[in-house]
Structure formats: C-alpha cells, structure tokens
Amino acid sequence: MENGSGVAAPTPQRPHVVLLPTPGMGHLIPLVELAKLLVAHHGFSVTIVTLDASSAAKAQDALFSSLPDSISSLALPSVPLDDLPSDAHIETIISVAASRSLAHLRDALSRLKSSANLVALVVDLFGTDYFTVARELCLPRYLFFPSNLLTLSLIFHLPELDATTTCEYRDLPEPLRLPGCVPIPGRDLLHPLQDRSNDAYRWVVHHARRYREAEGILVNSFDAIEPEAAKVLREPEPGRPPVYLVGPLTQCWNPKATDERAECLRWLDQQPPGSVLFVSFGSGGTLTTAQTAELALGLELSGQRFLWVVRSPSDGETASEAYFSVRSKNDPFGFLPAGFVQRTREVGLLVPSWAPQVAVLNHAATGGFLSHCGWNSTLESVVAGVAMVAWPLFAEQRQNAVMLAEGARIALRPRGTAEGGLVPREEVARVARELMEGEEGEEGKAARQRVAELRKAAGSGLEEGGAAYKALAEVASKWKTTN
C-alpha cells in the first residue's frame, strides 16, 4: 500500500475506484468505511486521495495504516492558500484548496488509469470541481454525501432559493419547508448560508449547482431516521441524480482493542449501566468561556454522572476554530469554575481534548450523549442506541438538531441553543435530568425508546439483503459494467 506521493499499483483485474474526501477527519472516516465495504463485499480495490493537510497527518496516517492492502492512499501536493483572508470560513478554504488541486489530481488519475481498471471517481460534498477532471478522463462521476437527506434536500433546492430570496435566510418570516423534511427556521439553516455576502455562501451555491452533474449520490443516512425524505428522494426527478442510501457508515467498534482501554473506559467500567451522560462537542467544536462555566455548573446541578471531553474555550473566534486540530491550545481544565473538579470528582470524569468516542458510546454505562449534532457523531450515537441532548455549534449542526429533536425525536434540545445565546446552568441541569431520568410519557423516555428502534433498523439495513447493502450493491454493479 502506498501512503505518500506515489500511486500504489492495484490488482489490474479488479475494478478500481478513487475516493476523494475534502480535508477533515469527519469527511475522511465515512469514506474509509465505504472503501472497506467495496473491498470486502464487492471485490473492488480503492485509492483514497487526500489534499495535503499537515495538521491531520498523524490521525490520517494512523487510520490508513490499519487498512487492508487493497485500499491505498495518495496525498496530493499542497497548494498555496496564503492569499486567502485570515477570516476565511472553512467552506471557502476547503473549496479553494480543491479548485487549485485540479492539475495535481489530473496527473495522479492519469497515472492510475494507465495501470488500473479505474471505473469511477467519488468525491464528497465540497469536491464538485473535481468533476471537471473526471469528465476529461471519461470517468463516471459520483458524489458521497456524508450528511443527511435534510441537508441534501437543502442543497438541491439552494440554487432556486438563492435566485428567489432577497433577504438573509435568518430573516425569512416562515420556516423553510422542503419536501419530506421537518420545517427548518431560517436561523437554523446551514451555517455558511447565514451570510449571503460571504465567499463561503457563494461556494456552497456553486457546489449545489454542480451536484446535478453527478451520475449518482451516495448518502450516509438510512430510511428509518428520515422516512419521508427518503421516499421523496427515491422518486426519479428529471435533472436530479439518483440517490442511494448506503448508511449508517461509522467507525467500527472493537471491544477487544487494547489501545482503547483508556482511563475513561476503565472509569466507565465502575459506573452503573446507563447512568453516565457523555459530553463531547466533536474534534472541532468549542464553547466560549462563559458557556463552558455554565455547562460545568449545570452538569453539577443535574446530579447526573458525566464523562466530559473538555476543550479550551474559543472566545472571539468561531465555534469551528479547532476544526483542523484535535488538541486544545491550552490546559482546558484551567477554564473551569473554581472548585468544580473537586466537587464533582465522585460523579464525573473530565478528559482533556479527546476520548475514544465510539468505545464510550458503546459502553454499557453510557446512557446519554450531549452532542454538537455533527452527522458522524449522530450516527455513532444511533448505532450505539444512545439518545442525545442536541447542542449544535456550526456547519449543518443547527438544522440537524431540529431534525433530531422534532423529526426523528431522538434528541432533546436545551432552550437557548435555538436562539444562539447563553444556555444557563439551570437549563443544562433540566435537560440532562430529563434525558437520563425521564419516565413513561416524558420526552427523555420517548427519545430512549425511539433510538433503540433506530439502532435495530440501522443494523439490519447494513446486513446482506438489507436496504443499505442493496443500494451499495446496485452502485457497485453499475461501476463494474462501466468498461
């Protein structure tokens, strides 16, 4: 397997697919899981092409080193980005890096095509400019969408929305009603859409227009969590690519993995079943200093056991400022209220910056997840059968929170997160108690029952003969007949 600038030589007779995630481990992980399924179940070999992202190099290398030989990796040379403004949004940075990498991708795919049975290029949500290279090389163009059908529906409708709306979306007088989807207030729409004068907005609209160039879109979701949207998007529509629900694709949990027997897992071993609220805002999510303090005091006030992955606050910056970094800049415990650590040491455990999330969610002691509602984390929670407190920060997380609370009904949303203001400690305590202790007929109990049902549906869909398995098999069959 090649993990560098060269191209690995795949087995010539196997159909070969190139997967191209845009930067960020949240984009890479589900595509890696897709690669594993293509190799294990459908006889493909795969090359995963990444843009240079030095800050994520260690995490990427560790992930790639665990993969079978039939999955190779290739990093494109870096491109200059120093001309971008210092306040450029993530969506702009990623999109510009992709557009400036076309020549490098063309060279890599041309070399690969000469030595392999290359049958398709699959890009993710910010990689539509790569379709230009695929067209030049006569490669089928597919898109892997790592979020949900609600967000995909929004993307499909965005060009029309852009042309027919004059105000900022947060000022829309009524929630946006997309076919088959829960109504979404304008203020909760995708974060880069909230400022129409920003380059990030223009880039998202640009990608939305190019989505229809795809010959198919693979979505990391499943019918049971979005049944009405799934029904709508399965119906053929002229000019819209077919949609294939191949999820949930999440990192596999290996209970025997010795490197994951971290301190937090040993601590969970000592807690009663279903008693611990796991608190984590993902690898890129941060709170303000004031909100960090209110969250801490709210957890203490709730009386619930908790395991909290604490990151340094991000005052004066965006909630996504740590997107490309796993570790906090400073000692995150130094920002907690005085005496908090000592007062809660019998019921809580604080972990700096990172925890083995999949292992934590699948631990018998974990009974709830206070989450930023990133889609990877959401699916990991569903697969583990853990209901959520929805606390969105950026990207598509606010509209995910609406869908999870009001559509799927597997999450409780604290009052205050919808308005974007400070969530007081009393509200933190209330929602934590409700999720963990809610009785029959109450919101917390209903969310726990519903997520248990979705867990079963998610598992059965991925089994041979299940809906997700058959959807991927259909795409794989098309790729095999490409040549």
Side-chain angles (χ1 to χ4, degrees), residues 321-471:
E321 58 90 23
Y323 182 81
F324 290 109
S325 174
V326 173
R327 302 294 171 183
S328 292
K329 298 176 184 177
N330 306 297
D331 173 18
F333 296 171
F335 297 91
L336 297 173
F340 170 76
V341 176
Q342 292 75 20
R343 294 194 304 271
T344 60
R345 63 175 49 191
E346 296 301 318
V347 295
L349 180 69
L350 304 174
V351 180
S353 302
W354 181 87
Q357 178 165 295
V358 175
V360 170
L361 288 171
N362 281 276
H363 197 286
T366 302
F369 183 17
L370 193 157
S371 169
H372 62 306
C373 303
W375 194 241
N376 282 343
S377 290
T378 295
L379 291 180
E380 287 169 0
S381 199
V382 170
V383 169
V386 176
M388 287 169 276
V389 170
W391 193 310
L393 298 177
F394 63 97
E396 87 285 26
Q397 294 164 12
R398 290 175 66 88
Q399 62 186 41
N400 288 353
V402 176
M403 186 269 278
L404 295 171
E406 299 177 19
R409 305 186 311 282
I410 57 172
L412 281 59
R413 192 170 183 186
R415 291 187 288 269
T417 57
E419 294 75 22
L422 188 74
V423 181
R425 65 195 72 175
E426 294 82 6
E427 177 63 7
V428 174
R430 182 196 70 79
V431 77
R433 282 194 295 263
E434 175 60 29
L435 183 72
M436 302 298 289
E437 298 180 354
E439 298 295 337
E440 201 67 44
E442 297 178 330
E443 197 178 4
K445 177 74 171 181
R448 298 196 302 270
Q449 291 175 335
R450 174 67 175 151
V451 80
E453 296 168 1
L454 290 183
R455 179 186 192 181
K456 293 178 182 177
S460 62
L462 291 169
E463 294 173 356
E464 187 168 357
Y469 186 99
K470 289 193 289 187

Side-chain angles (χ1 to χ4, degrees), residues 149-158 160-161 164-165 169 172-189 228-229 232 399 402 406:
L149 295 179
L150 168 62
T151 306
L152 180 60
S153 298
L154 174 61
I155 295 294
F156 279 145
H157 287 83
L158 184 56
E160 179 186 0
L161 194 64
T164 58
T165 307
Y169 299 126
L172 288 172
E174 297 291 334
L176 182 63
R177 288 173 169 82
L178 300 166
C181 299
V182 63
I184 304 293
R187 70 189 179 208
D188 285 331
L189 291 177
E228 295 304 316
V232 169
Q399 62 186 41
V402 176
E406 299 177 19

Side-chain angles (χ1 to χ4, degrees), residues 270-285:
Q270 308 304 313
Q271 310 308 314
S275 66
V276 175
L277 177 64
F278 178 47
V279 181
S280 176
F281 294 94
S283 58

